[in-house]
Amino acid sequence: MASVLFLLALLVGALGVAFWLFRSFLQPLAFATVIAIGFYPVYLGVTRIVRGPNKSALLATFIVLLIFVLPALLIASAAGGELIKAARYFGDRSTQEGGPVAYLGEKEQSALRWLAKYVDVEELHLEETVANLPSQVSKVLLAAGTRLVGGLAGFAGNAILTFLILFFLFRDGKATIESVTSILPLSREQALHLLTGIRDSIVANLYGILAVGLAQGLLTGAALATLRVPSALLLGLTAAVCSLIPIVGTMLVWLPTGIYLMATGHLWKGIILILWGALVVGTIDNIIRPLVIGSKVELHPLLLLFSLLGGLQVFGFIGIFIGPVVISVIAALIIMLREELSMPPNLPDTTIL
């Protein structure tokens, strides 16, 4: 007993030191694990074509990389084209109005005249606020640019680590699962049941995120195209990406666009777009995600919603996966405990013949 306690104390201490050493890599490890579980069928398909675990894992990792990179390149290309169009339009209109300063001043006054119909511009000191807006915007842009550069550097490093870890998870994932299964003090059926619950929860959440992003992007883009808003394709793609952002989501796209439409004289178009975004685009998440997740994770919809929101609040974006996984593990453990307790004890046969 003394030896066991000593070894357990050493193990706990070593695990604490290991957590302190690897805590900076937990986020890319978690993302790589989610991607590996969700796209493991891709790896299995590659292994049927390419022989050798290294080649198969490398090709599967490259395919997953393309799946993530190609949409980003498409959005960047579309955004570049729209920015060129916007720059040309601004240049042409500013030339007609006597220069960019005069053109922006006219747009400013036009917006203030529109607001004056609904609010008291003088009482709110909106003219003074608008006059000080360029200096405030420059400060915000400078701070945002500084954070963006640092964020991009960190994002690039985490992305490289994520796909590096993904390669090894594809290659050694099956052996790792076998090792974990052999270590757990459970029967093979119980261990597989527990791991299957974790896998189904992660896969369902991953597919739920992709389905929600696709649906919200299509609904936003369709509304913008119907209302003849310029750059509907770009804004629809942006809405699909923004659907990943907690709480606000696609509101970052359809709300400013609706306000812009109303400010430029298209009152009803702006109102329709905002209503569509709030009532349809904003609520489709609550319909699609439980349907997709519920098909693999047998949880009550209210409990599933709380696990998603709680995981998001505690762990950030990766909490969308961690929350339902924790609840799924608890449910699997309760089922296994119930099965263990319901088994009759293995008593010796005392029947008198």
Side-chain angles (χ1 to χ4, degrees):
M1 181 61 66
S3 299
V4 171
L5 292 176
F6 178 72
L7 291 175
L8 286 176
L10 285 180
L11 178 60
V12 171
L15 289 175
V17 175
F19 176 79
W20 179 70
L21 288 174
F22 299 118
R23 68 186 188 279
S24 301
F25 309 111
L26 292 179
Q27 189 176 44
L29 175 62
F31 278 115
T33 303
V34 169
I35 296 173
I37 293 174
F39 288 91
Y40 198 74
V42 175
Y43 172 70
L44 293 179
V46 171
T47 56
R48 299 188 184 99
I49 303 173
V50 180
R51 292 185 177 181
N54 289 323
K55 295 180 180 179
S56 300
L58 183 61
L59 181 57
T61 303
F62 181 72
I63 293 173
V64 174
L65 178 63
L66 288 181
I67 292 174
F68 282 92
V69 169
L70 286 179
L73 292 177
L74 178 62
I75 293 174
S77 176
E82 295 298 334
L83 287 175
I84 292 173
K85 291 181 182 179
R88 289 176 179 174
Y89 174 80
F90 177 75
D92 294 339
R93 292 300 302 271
S94 62
T95 301
Q96 296 174 5
E97 299 292 336
V101 177
Y103 176 67
L104 291 176
E106 174 60 27
K107 287 298 181 182
E108 172 191 323
Q109 294 300 321
S110 176
L112 289 175
R113 287 194 297 269
W114 176 78
L115 284 174
K117 299 177 183 179
Y118 306 98
V119 297
D120 191 348
V121 175
E122 294 182 358
E123 183 177 352
L124 296 176
H125 305 289
L126 290 180
E127 291 187 4
E128 181 180 353
T129 302
V130 172
N132 295 328
L133 190 60
S135 61
Q136 298 296 328
V137 169
S138 64
K139 294 178 182 178
V140 172
L141 290 178
L142 180 60
T146 304
R147 289 195 298 268
L148 180 62
V149 171
L152 287 176
F155 176 79
N158 285 336
I160 294 173
L161 283 175
T162 298
F163 285 101
L164 179 64
I165 296 170
L166 180 64
F167 167 79
F168 289 104
L169 289 176
F170 278 149
R171 193 191 69 175
D172 305 324
K174 187 175 181 180
T176 303
I177 292 176
E178 292 293 335
S179 300
V180 172
T181 304
S182 63
I183 292 174
L184 294 176
L186 301 171
S187 66
R188 182 173 178 82
E189 292 74 16
Q190 289 176 326
L192 290 178
H193 180 68
L194 184 62
L195 295 176
T196 300
I198 295 175
R199 181 202 63 191
D200 289 344
S201 178
I202 292 176
V203 169
N205 277 279
L206 180 62
Y207 292 169
I209 289 174
L210 296 177
V212 168
L214 179 62
Q216 290 187 331
L218 287 175
L219 289 173
T220 304
L224 294 170
T226 304
L227 296 174
R228 299 184 181 277
V229 177
S231 307
L233 175 61
L234 175 61
L235 292 174
L237 291 172
T238 306
V241 175
C242 288
S243 66
L244 302 176
I245 301 175
I247 302 176
V248 290
T250 56
M251 187 188 301
L252 294 174
V253 176
W254 51 259
L255 183 59
T257 306
I259 295 175
Y260 170 79
L261 288 174
M262 291 189 292
T264 53
H266 305 284
L267 179 62
W268 285 109
K269 285 186 177 182
I271 293 175
I272 292 173
L273 180 60
I274 292 176
L275 290 177
W276 177 265
L279 300 178
V280 179
V281 179
T283 58
I284 197 70
D285 182 6
N286 301 325
I287 299 175
I288 293 180
R289 194 185 299 274
L291 287 177
V292 176
I293 296 178
S295 63
K296 286 184 173 292
V297 182
E298 297 180 358
L299 295 177
H300 191 277
L302 186 60
L303 184 61
L304 178 61
L305 177 63
F306 285 160
S307 67
L308 289 170
L309 296 179
L312 189 65
Q313 182 180 5
V314 176
F315 299 103
F317 177 74
I318 197 65
I320 295 177
F321 303 96
I322 295 177
V325 163
V326 171
I327 302 301
S328 298
V329 169
I330 293 174
L333 292 175
I334 291 175
I335 292 174
M336 285 188 287
L337 283 172
R338 184 184 300 168
E339 292 174 353
E340 288 290 329
L341 294 175
S342 63
M343 293 177 61
N346 189 15
L347 298 176
D349 190 4
T350 57
T351 305
I352 300 176
L353 298 178

